[in-house]
Amino acid sequence: MLGEIELVKKSLGDFFTPAILKIAIIPLLITVFVMIVFFMGLADYSLSSLDQVIIQVQNGEEFTVDPNAPFYYVWAVNVLTFLLQYSITAWLAGFLLFTIGTLFILFFSIFTTLIIIGFLTPMIIETLRKRNYPNMDLKAHGSIISPIWVAVKSIVVMLFLFILFIPFYFIPLVNIVAFNLPIYYFFHKLLNFDITSTMLSSAEYKEIYRNKKNLFRTRTLALYLISMIPFITLFSTVFYVVYLTNAYFVELEKIRQNRLDI
């Protein structure tokens, strides 16, 4: 436990250096820009429009859907119309709106920042190497298409888990785990791959994964739980990379020292 506290302190010290703070600004600015552009494009078909549909259906009024509306808006209106026709399912409509909306915003911010941080990870790792581990040589593994393959595979598995857990979405408390587990899987896979493929050889990664996989899963789970705080990923993702990179450097030093001792 003491070692983990020291690791966090060291990572915070690294994060608040001018070199890392300059890098941290990049995902913040890009993600905010992307979110503004994206949500401005949806302004005409926002939740306020759906609120109007709900009021009209509940009052028995007729309404028409704009034929130029995006397909997802038409789909949402049709689902809401069906659910709101029956009092027993009306509560489900509100639940779905709140849950899907919250889930979408959360996933969108995490997904966007993870994609951006993937391009910045080599820069962060090299900055930390020069600052703390100048004698450590990095041995990257993988190919040019590896990040694309890992990202696509992670998205497919995540979507499969979303579908698989549908029966659990309506069970209180259990639904919290069911909603978050697929996103955590995506979060863990991309964050770990970006770091390990940049600094470790394939053999070194396999050795660390074999001996320390549960420890790193615990670390990424803790980071993911921090990400549940609204919009904190806009500021904290670079720190996540710094923290995990330092953790991998610690294990890498042990591996290489053991080889020298043999």
Side-chain angles (χ1 to χ4, degrees):
M1 182 63 182
L2 181 60
E4 200 67 26
I5 293 175
E6 292 301 318
L7 180 63
V8 171
K9 289 181 178 179
K10 181 178 182 179
S11 299
L12 286 171
D14 290 333
F15 178 74
F16 287 106
T17 57
I20 297 297
L21 286 176
K22 289 178 183 177
I23 299 174
I25 294 175
I26 298 174
L28 171 62
L29 295 179
I30 295 178
T31 303
V32 169
F33 174 78
V34 170
M35 292 182 72
I36 289 175
V37 171
F38 184 82
F39 286 108
M40 283 183 64
L42 297 178
D44 292 336
Y45 302 101
S46 62
L47 286 178
S48 61
S49 299
L50 291 177
D51 288 341
Q52 185 61 35
V53 171
I54 293 174
I55 293 173
Q56 287 179 303
V57 173
Q58 290 178 333
N59 293 336
E61 303 174 9
E62 294 185 2
F63 66 93
T64 57
V65 180
D66 186 347
N68 297 318
F71 74 93
Y72 49 80
Y73 178 82
V74 176
W75 176 84
V77 169
N78 288 335
V79 171
L80 283 174
T81 302
F82 171 77
L83 293 175
L84 291 171
Q85 287 177 350
Y86 310 97
S87 58
I88 195 172
T89 57
W91 68 270
L92 184 59
F95 173 79
L96 287 175
L97 272 179
F98 175 79
T99 303
I100 293 175
T102 303
L103 190 65
F104 177 79
I105 293 173
L106 172 64
F107 174 73
F108 185 84
S109 62
I110 292 176
F111 180 84
T112 305
T113 50
L114 284 178
I115 295 299
I116 296 169
I117 206 67
F119 294 99
L120 302 175
T121 296
M123 189 187 310
I124 297 171
I125 293 176
E126 181 60 21
T127 301
L128 293 176
R129 188 193 70 80
K130 291 180 179 179
R131 173 180 167 84
N132 300 323
Y133 317 93
N135 298 322
M136 297 288 289
D137 295 325
L138 303 181
K139 301 178 181 180
H141 71 275
S143 62
I144 297 177
I145 65 172
S146 293
I148 300 175
W149 165 243
V150 171
V152 171
K153 184 173 67 173
S154 300
I155 290 174
V156 170
V157 174
M158 179 184 64
L159 293 176
F160 172 76
L161 291 175
F162 273 130
I163 297 173
L164 183 66
F165 293 154
I166 286 177
F168 301 103
Y169 292 161
F170 306 102
I171 304 175
L173 299 181
V174 175
N175 57 8
I176 297 176
V177 177
F179 277 125
N180 283 284
L181 189 58
I183 306 178
Y184 165 69
Y185 171 86
F186 179 82
F187 178 89
H188 172 82
K189 284 294 182 181
L190 256 64
L191 199 55
N192 266 284
F193 177 80
D194 286 341
I195 297 170
T196 57
S197 64
T198 302
M199 62 182 292
L200 304 175
S201 68
S202 179
E204 290 168 338
Y205 167 70
K206 289 177 181 178
E207 184 172 349
I208 294 175
Y209 180 80
R210 182 175 62 251
N211 298 322
K212 301 290 183 176
K213 60 182 179 182
N214 290 332
L215 176 58
F216 278 94
R217 285 172 180 167
T218 302
R219 286 167 172 160
T220 55
L221 178 60
L223 297 178
Y224 179 76
L225 293 176
I226 294 173
S227 298
M228 294 297 96
I229 302 173
F231 302 109
I232 198 170
T233 51
L234 299 177
F235 308 94
S236 61
T237 312
V238 170
F239 171 75
Y240 298 167
V241 175
V242 171
Y243 169 64
L244 290 175
T245 297
N246 278 326
Y248 275 111
F249 264 123
V250 170
E251 299 302 326
L252 184 59
E253 285 183 321
K254 293 178 182 178
I255 289 175
R256 293 185 180 176
Q257 185 59 48
N258 290 337
R259 289 176 181 172
L260 291 175
D261 293 339
I262 296 176

